[in-house]
Amino acid sequence: MSTKDASDDDGVRLDKWLWAARFFKTRALAVEAVEKHRVDLNGQPAKQGRDVRPGDRIGLAQAGWRREVEILGLSMTRGPAPVAQTLYRDTEQSLRDAAAAAERRRLSPEPANTIEQGRPTKKD
């Protein structure tokens, strides 16, 4: 994985960084999330072509909670997950929100238990 130095001034496109840091499986999904305003950069709406730099904060709308990360490094290519996790750091508030969301999921009822009947038969 070619990781750029923090001293580089040019930055990396937001959609490419989100893909390289493994927040999204494809760049197309990263672009779609940015276009739907599910991603913001330093508290402001961003476009997929906006350059990110170390020290920037990215907010991501996850399922049931909001994730905020601080950029530690830049990468132009997607690599192994352990390397990708070194590109960012979750904020304290984000970690608390993630724990609260996990607890809500744990305490919520199992959707399969609400089904009273099975699949309909041909006769039904």
Side-chain angles (χ1 to χ4, degrees):
M1 177 176 205
S2 73
T3 303
K4 297 174 86 178
D5 292 335
S7 62
D8 288 346
D9 292 332
D10 49 349
V12 176
R13 286 176 54 104
L14 176 61
D15 60 339
K16 189 174 266 195
W17 187 87
L18 290 169
W19 167 75
R22 293 182 166 263
F23 287 105
F24 296 98
K25 199 169 195 172
T26 64
R27 277 188 64 192
L29 291 175
V31 168
E32 181 181 340
V34 172
E35 287 176 349
K36 290 184 177 181
H37 303 291
R38 295 181 182 155
V39 179
D40 60 62
L41 182 63
N42 296 323
Q44 297 186 3
K47 294 185 178 180
Q48 64 266 16
R50 175 93 186 263
D51 283 346
V52 295
R53 292 174 176 75
D56 287 346
R57 287 182 179 248
I58 294 180
L60 299 159
Q62 300 281 336
W65 61 291
R66 182 130 181 101
R67 185 175 192 177
E68 189 170 318
V69 297
E70 181 181 353
I71 298 176
L72 300 177
L74 301 177
S75 177
M76 297 290 287
T77 58
R78 186 174 171 101
V83 175
Q85 290 173 349
T86 64
L87 298 177
Y88 63 91
R89 175 180 55 225
D90 283 291
T91 62
E92 293 297 321
Q93 181 63 37
S94 179
L95 294 173
R96 284 193 297 272
D97 291 347
E103 186 66 17
R104 282 194 305 273
R105 281 192 306 272
R106 189 180 72 79
L107 296 175
S108 67
E110 174 65 34
N113 292 341
T114 61
I115 300 173
E116 295 180 13
Q117 298 177 343
R119 289 179 55 181
T121 64
K122 288 184 179 181
K123 188 175 184 178
D124 294 338

PDB file of all heavy atoms in Angstrom, residues 43-67:
ATOM      1  N   GLY A  43     -17.171  19.284   9.465  1.00  0.00           N
ATOM      2  CA  GLY A  43     -18.469  19.824   9.851  1.00  0.00           C
ATOM      3  C   GLY A  43     -19.258  20.481   8.736  1.00  0.00           C
ATOM      4  O   GLY A  43     -20.324  21.030   8.974  1.00  0.00           O
ATOM      5  N   GLN A  44     -18.773  20.434   7.509  1.00  0.00           N
ATOM      6  CA  GLN A  44     -19.466  21.055   6.386  1.00  0.00           C
ATOM      7  C   GLN A  44     -19.689  20.028   5.286  1.00  0.00           C
ATOM      8  O   GLN A  44     -18.875  19.114   5.113  1.00  0.00           O
ATOM      9  CB  GLN A  44     -18.652  22.221   5.843  1.00  0.00           C
ATOM     10  CG  GLN A  44     -18.477  23.331   6.849  1.00  0.00           C
ATOM     11  CD  GLN A  44     -17.785  24.526   6.227  1.00  0.00           C
ATOM     12  OE1 GLN A  44     -17.488  24.538   5.040  1.00  0.00           O
ATOM     13  NE2 GLN A  44     -17.519  25.521   7.036  1.00  0.00           N
ATOM     14  N   PRO A  45     -20.780  20.165   4.533  1.00  0.00           N
ATOM     15  CA  PRO A  45     -21.008  19.237   3.420  1.00  0.00           C
ATOM     16  C   PRO A  45     -19.839  19.284   2.444  1.00  0.00           C
ATOM     17  O   PRO A  45     -19.250  20.336   2.214  1.00  0.00           O
ATOM     18  CB  PRO A  45     -22.284  19.763   2.758  1.00  0.00           C
ATOM     19  CG  PRO A  45     -22.922  20.637   3.767  1.00  0.00           C
ATOM     20  CD  PRO A  45     -21.840  21.160   4.650  1.00  0.00           C
ATOM     21  N   ALA A  46     -19.518  18.132   1.892  1.00  0.00           N
ATOM     22  CA  ALA A  46     -18.363  18.055   0.995  1.00  0.00           C
ATOM     23  C   ALA A  46     -18.760  17.373  -0.305  1.00  0.00           C
ATOM     24  O   ALA A  46     -19.755  16.653  -0.374  1.00  0.00           O
ATOM     25  CB  ALA A  46     -17.237  17.277   1.660  1.00  0.00           C
ATOM     26  N   LYS A  47     -17.966  17.607  -1.333  1.00  0.00           N
ATOM     27  CA  LYS A  47     -18.126  16.913  -2.601  1.00  0.00           C
ATOM     28  C   LYS A  47     -17.047  15.850  -2.693  1.00  0.00           C
ATOM     29  O   LYS A  47     -16.017  15.927  -2.029  1.00  0.00           O
ATOM     30  CB  LYS A  47     -18.002  17.902  -3.759  1.00  0.00           C
ATOM     31  CG  LYS A  47     -19.131  18.903  -3.782  1.00  0.00           C
ATOM     32  CD  LYS A  47     -19.047  19.785  -5.003  1.00  0.00           C
ATOM     33  CE  LYS A  47     -20.224  20.738  -5.014  1.00  0.00           C
ATOM     34  NZ  LYS A  47     -20.197  21.626  -6.179  1.00  0.00           N
ATOM     35  N   GLN A  48     -17.288  14.846  -3.559  1.00  0.00           N
ATOM     36  CA  GLN A  48     -16.365  13.709  -3.624  1.00  0.00           C
ATOM     37  C   GLN A  48     -14.980  14.100  -4.109  1.00  0.00           C
ATOM     38  O   GLN A  48     -14.005  13.442  -3.782  1.00  0.00           O
ATOM     39  CB  GLN A  48     -16.936  12.580  -4.470  1.00  0.00           C
ATOM     40  CG  GLN A  48     -17.135  12.913  -5.924  1.00  0.00           C
ATOM     41  CD  GLN A  48     -18.536  13.395  -6.217  1.00  0.00           C
ATOM     42  OE1 GLN A  48     -19.275  13.752  -5.314  1.00  0.00           O
ATOM     43  NE2 GLN A  48     -18.906  13.403  -7.477  1.00  0.00           N
ATOM     44  N   GLY A  49     -14.825  15.179  -4.848  1.00  0.00           N
ATOM     45  CA  GLY A  49     -13.529  15.578  -5.364  1.00  0.00           C
ATOM     46  C   GLY A  49     -12.724  16.454  -4.416  1.00  0.00           C
ATOM     47  O   GLY A  49     -11.587  16.807  -4.700  1.00  0.00           O
ATOM     48  N   ARG A  50     -13.268  16.777  -3.283  1.00  0.00           N
ATOM     49  CA  ARG A  50     -12.589  17.646  -2.317  1.00  0.00           C
ATOM     50  C   ARG A  50     -11.365  16.923  -1.759  1.00  0.00           C
ATOM     51  O   ARG A  50     -11.419  15.742  -1.428  1.00  0.00           O
ATOM     52  CB  ARG A  50     -13.573  17.977  -1.189  1.00  0.00           C
ATOM     53  CG  ARG A  50     -13.014  18.755  -0.053  1.00  0.00           C
ATOM     54  CD  ARG A  50     -13.221  20.237  -0.252  1.00  0.00           C
ATOM     55  NE  ARG A  50     -12.546  20.985   0.779  1.00  0.00           N
ATOM     56  CZ  ARG A  50     -13.135  21.439   1.869  1.00  0.00           C
ATOM     57  NH1 ARG A  50     -14.411  21.224   2.072  1.00  0.00           N
ATOM     58  NH2 ARG A  50     -12.439  22.102   2.749  1.00  0.00           N
ATOM     59  N   ASP A  51     -10.249  17.630  -1.662  1.00  0.00           N
ATOM     60  CA  ASP A  51      -9.027  17.034  -1.123  1.00  0.00           C
ATOM     61  C   ASP A  51      -9.068  16.993   0.397  1.00  0.00           C
ATOM     62  O   ASP A  51      -9.521  17.945   1.037  1.00  0.00           O
ATOM     63  CB  ASP A  51      -7.803  17.833  -1.566  1.00  0.00           C
ATOM     64  CG  ASP A  51      -7.424  17.552  -3.009  1.00  0.00           C
ATOM     65  OD1 ASP A  51      -7.931  16.572  -3.569  1.00  0.00           O
ATOM     66  OD2 ASP A  51      -6.626  18.321  -3.564  1.00  0.00           O
ATOM     67  N   VAL A  52      -8.627  15.877   0.958  1.00  0.00           N
ATOM     68  CA  VAL A  52      -8.527  15.740   2.414  1.00  0.00           C
ATOM     69  C   VAL A  52      -7.052  15.708   2.784  1.00  0.00           C
ATOM     70  O   VAL A  52      -6.199  15.319   1.986  1.00  0.00           O
ATOM     71  CB  VAL A  52      -9.243  14.466   2.921  1.00  0.00           C
ATOM     72  CG1 VAL A  52     -10.735  14.553   2.673  1.00  0.00           C
ATOM     73  CG2 VAL A  52      -8.684  13.213   2.288  1.00  0.00           C
ATOM     74  N   ARG A  53      -6.779  16.140   3.995  1.00  0.00           N
ATOM     75  CA  ARG A  53      -5.404  16.194   4.499  1.00  0.00           C
ATOM     76  C   ARG A  53      -5.379  15.659   5.927  1.00  0.00           C
ATOM     77  O   ARG A  53      -6.415  15.648   6.598  1.00  0.00           O
ATOM     78  CB  ARG A  53      -4.906  17.638   4.466  1.00  0.00           C
ATOM     79  CG  ARG A  53      -4.726  18.157   3.056  1.00  0.00           C
ATOM     80  CD  ARG A  53      -4.380  19.628   3.017  1.00  0.00           C
ATOM     81  NE  ARG A  53      -4.128  20.079   1.659  1.00  0.00           N
ATOM     82  CZ  ARG A  53      -5.073  20.292   0.746  1.00  0.00           C
ATOM     83  NH1 ARG A  53      -6.325  20.093   1.050  1.00  0.00           N
ATOM     84  NH2 ARG A  53      -4.754  20.695  -0.464  1.00  0.00           N
ATOM     85  N   PRO A  54      -4.227  15.245   6.420  1.00  0.00           N
ATOM     86  CA  PRO A  54      -4.146  14.803   7.814  1.00  0.00           C
ATOM     87  C   PRO A  54      -4.601  15.925   8.751  1.00  0.00           C
ATOM     88  O   PRO A  54      -4.300  17.093   8.536  1.00  0.00           O
ATOM     89  CB  PRO A  54      -2.659  14.496   8.011  1.00  0.00           C
ATOM     90  CG  PRO A  54      -2.179  14.150   6.637  1.00  0.00           C
ATOM     91  CD  PRO A  54      -2.960  15.026   5.701  1.00  0.00           C
ATOM     92  N   GLY A  55      -5.374  15.549   9.761  1.00  0.00           N
ATOM     93  CA  GLY A  55      -5.918  16.514  10.710  1.00  0.00           C
ATOM     94  C   GLY A  55      -7.359  16.863  10.421  1.00  0.00           C
ATOM     95  O   GLY A  55      -8.063  17.365  11.294  1.00  0.00           O
ATOM     96  N   ASP A  56      -7.852  16.600   9.201  1.00  0.00           N
ATOM     97  CA  ASP A  56      -9.251  16.847   8.867  1.00  0.00           C
ATOM     98  C   ASP A  56     -10.138  15.856   9.610  1.00  0.00           C
ATOM     99  O   ASP A  56      -9.714  14.740   9.933  1.00  0.00           O
ATOM    100  CB  ASP A  56      -9.490  16.709   7.360  1.00  0.00           C
ATOM    101  CG  ASP A  56      -8.930  17.862   6.559  1.00  0.00           C
ATOM    102  OD1 ASP A  56      -8.587  18.893   7.166  1.00  0.00           O
ATOM    103  OD2 ASP A  56      -8.842  17.726   5.322  1.00  0.00           O
ATOM    104  N   ARG A  57     -11.382  16.262   9.857  1.00  0.00           N
ATOM    105  CA  ARG A  57     -12.362  15.378  10.494  1.00  0.00           C
ATOM    106  C   ARG A  57     -13.461  15.054   9.497  1.00  0.00           C
ATOM    107  O   ARG A  57     -13.979  15.937   8.829  1.00  0.00           O
ATOM    108  CB  ARG A  57     -12.968  16.028  11.727  1.00  0.00           C
ATOM    109  CG  ARG A  57     -12.005  16.062  12.878  1.00  0.00           C
ATOM    110  CD  ARG A  57     -12.676  16.668  14.093  1.00  0.00           C
ATOM    111  NE  ARG A  57     -11.732  16.672  15.194  1.00  0.00           N
ATOM    112  CZ  ARG A  57     -11.872  15.926  16.272  1.00  0.00           C
ATOM    113  NH1 ARG A  57     -12.919  15.146  16.403  1.00  0.00           N
ATOM    114  NH2 ARG A  57     -10.980  15.976  17.224  1.00  0.00           N
ATOM    115  N   ILE A  58     -13.793  13.777   9.440  1.00  0.00           N
ATOM    116  CA  ILE A  58     -14.841  13.313   8.536  1.00  0.00           C
ATOM    117  C   ILE A  58     -15.966  12.730   9.374  1.00  0.00           C
ATOM    118  O   ILE A  58     -15.738  11.918  10.273  1.00  0.00           O
ATOM    119  CB  ILE A  58     -14.291  12.242   7.569  1.00  0.00           C
ATOM    120  CG1 ILE A  58     -13.261  12.861   6.647  1.00  0.00           C
ATOM    121  CG2 ILE A  58     -15.423  11.614   6.775  1.00  0.00           C
ATOM    122  CD1 ILE A  58     -12.656  11.901   5.671  1.00  0.00           C
ATOM    123  N   GLY A  59     -17.184  13.154   9.092  1.00  0.00           N
ATOM    124  CA  GLY A  59     -18.374  12.602   9.737  1.00  0.00           C
ATOM    125  C   GLY A  59     -19.094  11.689   8.759  1.00  0.00           C
ATOM    126  O   GLY A  59     -19.333  12.060   7.614  1.00  0.00           O
ATOM    127  N   LEU A  60     -19.428  10.480   9.202  1.00  0.00           N
ATOM    128  CA  LEU A  60     -20.103   9.492   8.361  1.00  0.00           C
ATOM    129  C   LEU A  60     -21.398   9.057   9.037  1.00  0.00           C
ATOM    130  O   LEU A  60     -21.398   8.740  10.226  1.00  0.00           O
ATOM    131  CB  LEU A  60     -19.227   8.249   8.184  1.00  0.00           C
ATOM    132  CG  LEU A  60     -17.883   8.428   7.524  1.00  0.00           C
ATOM    133  CD1 LEU A  60     -16.971   7.282   7.874  1.00  0.00           C
ATOM    134  CD2 LEU A  60     -18.086   8.497   6.039  1.00  0.00           C
ATOM    135  N   ALA A  61     -22.474   9.017   8.285  1.00  0.00           N
ATOM    136  CA  ALA A  61     -23.734   8.498   8.802  1.00  0.00           C
ATOM    137  C   ALA A  61     -23.720   6.983   8.655  1.00  0.00           C
ATOM    138  O   ALA A  61     -23.723   6.462   7.540  1.00  0.00           O
ATOM    139  CB  ALA A  61     -24.907   9.108   8.058  1.00  0.00           C
ATOM    140  N   GLN A  62     -23.633   6.286   9.778  1.00  0.00           N
ATOM    141  CA  GLN A  62     -23.678   4.827   9.773  1.00  0.00           C
ATOM    142  C   GLN A  62     -25.102   4.391  10.115  1.00  0.00           C
ATOM    143  O   GLN A  62     -25.947   5.216  10.418  1.00  0.00           O
ATOM    144  CB  GLN A  62     -22.697   4.270  10.818  1.00  0.00           C
ATOM    145  CG  GLN A  62     -21.265   4.655  10.593  1.00  0.00           C
ATOM    146  CD  GLN A  62     -20.594   3.823   9.520  1.00  0.00           C
ATOM    147  OE1 GLN A  62     -20.996   2.718   9.246  1.00  0.00           O
ATOM    148  NE2 GLN A  62     -19.575   4.376   8.907  1.00  0.00           N
ATOM    149  N   ALA A  63     -25.373   3.121  10.083  1.00  0.00           N
ATOM    150  CA  ALA A  63     -26.709   2.614  10.402  1.00  0.00           C
ATOM    151  C   ALA A  63     -27.000   2.816  11.889  1.00  0.00           C
ATOM    152  O   ALA A  63     -26.437   2.127  12.730  1.00  0.00           O
ATOM    153  CB  ALA A  63     -26.810   1.139  10.035  1.00  0.00           C
ATOM    154  N   GLY A  64     -27.834   3.782  12.206  1.00  0.00           N
ATOM    155  CA  GLY A  64     -28.249   3.994  13.591  1.00  0.00           C
ATOM    156  C   GLY A  64     -27.361   4.911  14.408  1.00  0.00           C
ATOM    157  O   GLY A  64     -27.661   5.187  15.559  1.00  0.00           O
ATOM    158  N   TRP A  65     -26.263   5.399  13.857  1.00  0.00           N
ATOM    159  CA  TRP A  65     -25.390   6.299  14.609  1.00  0.00           C
ATOM    160  C   TRP A  65     -24.502   7.084  13.667  1.00  0.00           C
ATOM    161  O   TRP A  65     -24.443   6.827  12.478  1.00  0.00           O
ATOM    162  CB  TRP A  65     -24.567   5.542  15.637  1.00  0.00           C
ATOM    163  CG  TRP A  65     -23.642   4.506  15.072  1.00  0.00           C
ATOM    164  CD1 TRP A  65     -23.996   3.330  14.486  1.00  0.00           C
ATOM    165  CD2 TRP A  65     -22.221   4.553  15.024  1.00  0.00           C
ATOM    166  NE1 TRP A  65     -22.871   2.645  14.073  1.00  0.00           N
ATOM    167  CE2 TRP A  65     -21.766   3.371  14.407  1.00  0.00           C
ATOM    168  CE3 TRP A  65     -21.273   5.470  15.455  1.00  0.00           C
ATOM    169  CZ2 TRP A  65     -20.435   3.092  14.206  1.00  0.00           C
ATOM    170  CZ3 TRP A  65     -19.937   5.183  15.252  1.00  0.00           C
ATOM    171  CH2 TRP A  65     -19.535   4.005  14.633  1.00  0.00           C
ATOM    172  N   ARG A  66     -23.838   8.079  14.192  1.00  0.00           N
ATOM    173  CA  ARG A  66     -22.956   8.944  13.398  1.00  0.00           C
ATOM    174  C   ARG A  66     -21.518   8.703  13.825  1.00  0.00           C
ATOM    175  O   ARG A  66     -21.191   8.787  15.004  1.00  0.00           O
ATOM    176  CB  ARG A  66     -23.324  10.401  13.636  1.00  0.00           C
ATOM    177  CG  ARG A  66     -22.511  11.343  12.822  1.00  0.00           C
ATOM    178  CD  ARG A  66     -23.418  12.327  12.100  1.00  0.00           C
ATOM    179  NE  ARG A  66     -22.641  13.225  11.291  1.00  0.00           N
ATOM    180  CZ  ARG A  66     -22.498  13.101   9.990  1.00  0.00           C
ATOM    181  NH1 ARG A  66     -23.098  12.133   9.364  1.00  0.00           N
ATOM    182  NH2 ARG A  66     -21.776  13.946   9.312  1.00  0.00           N
ATOM    183  N   ARG A  67     -20.669   8.412  12.862  1.00  0.00           N
ATOM    184  CA  ARG A  67     -19.258   8.137  13.128  1.00  0.00           C
ATOM    185  C   ARG A  67     -18.426   9.342  12.725  1.00  0.00           C
ATOM    186  O   ARG A  67     -18.636   9.907  11.653  1.00  0.00           O
ATOM    187  CB  ARG A  67     -18.829   6.919  12.325  1.00  0.00           C
ATOM    188  CG  ARG A  67     -17.429   6.471  12.597  1.00  0.00           C
ATOM    189  CD  ARG A  67     -17.142   5.194  11.851  1.00  0.00           C
ATOM    190  NE  ARG A  67     -15.910   4.619  12.330  1.00  0.00           N
ATOM    191  CZ  ARG A  67     -15.428   3.467  11.914  1.00  0.00           C
ATOM    192  NH1 ARG A  67     -16.085   2.762  11.030  1.00  0.00           N
ATOM    193  NH2 ARG A  67     -14.297   3.007  12.392  1.00  0.00           N
TER     194      ARG A  67
END
